[in-house]
Amino acid sequence: MTISRTLAGLAVAATATIAAVTTVAPAAQAATASGSAATAWGPYYAPGRSAHAVGTLTATGEDHADLPTADVVRVSGKVYDHTRRTAACGWAVFRITYRSGNNLPSRQHAVRDCSYRAPKHFSFSYRDVYQVELKVCSEAKSAKPSLVCLYAGTWKTLYLSK
């Protein structure tokens, strides 16, 4: 009797997990399906809440002929540094996956803010975009994000072409 209850409980938990995963699709997908409305994203925080980023994303011209991509994706927003130390900075690192022939390579676009509580504004756009992901980090001042920032933790999906 306990085995069947355990199995029933696991089945209910699995169903709930699947339902949660399918409903947590990025808001940018809904806007892309209906047109080119700007979709707000964030705030997303660095571990320890020592930095955060917030903004909007607009995807226009999705093409579903070969590989589903947006013709142009525009991302704008602000990154905030919440550390009082002058040697620390907040980073918003974007990973943009784009179409190149039949391949889907990716590139990174990083924005750094080293001024305590004064946000750094940013705006950029890319063509033939399949996916946009974000990671927010806070670390020592440097010219580019560290490998720990890039590879530890998880990326937040801002846009995924259907």
Side-chain angles (χ1 to χ4, degrees), residues 7-153:
L7 291 175
L10 289 173
V12 169
T15 304
T17 303
I18 291 169
V21 168
T22 58
T23 59
V24 177
Q29 290 178 347
T32 305
S34 63
S36 63
T39 302
W41 54 266
Y44 290 111
Y45 290 88
R49 293 186 165 279
S50 50
H52 85 273
V54 63
T56 60
L57 183 142
T58 306
T60 56
E62 276 199 341
D63 176 23
H64 296 282
D66 297 320
L67 293 172
T69 59
D71 186 37
V72 176
V73 170
R74 298 182 202 295
V75 179
S76 61
K78 300 174 190 177
V79 60
Y80 295 81
D81 175 25
H82 297 292
T83 60
R84 293 179 190 220
R85 297 173 296 163
T86 58
C89 300
W91 286 91
V93 183
F94 296 87
R95 183 166 59 188
I96 297 96
T97 305
Y98 60 97
R99 184 183 70 201
S100 176
N102 286 331
N103 297 320
L104 292 172
S106 62
R107 64 178 71 148
Q108 292 176 357
H109 185 100
V111 181
R112 179 182 75 171
D113 177 36
C114 299
S115 58
Y116 175 65
R117 298 208 185 230
K120 168 129 185 211
H121 298 268
F122 61 87
S123 182
F124 59 88
S125 63
Y126 286 95
R127 299 184 58 77
D128 294 327
V129 175
Y130 175 72
Q131 184 175 19
V132 177
E133 298 168 289
L134 167 70
K135 188 178 284 189
V136 181
C137 306
S138 179
E139 54 191 22
K141 189 182 285 189
S142 64
K144 60 184 182 176
S146 71
L147 295 177
V148 171
C149 176
L150 297 177
Y151 296 109

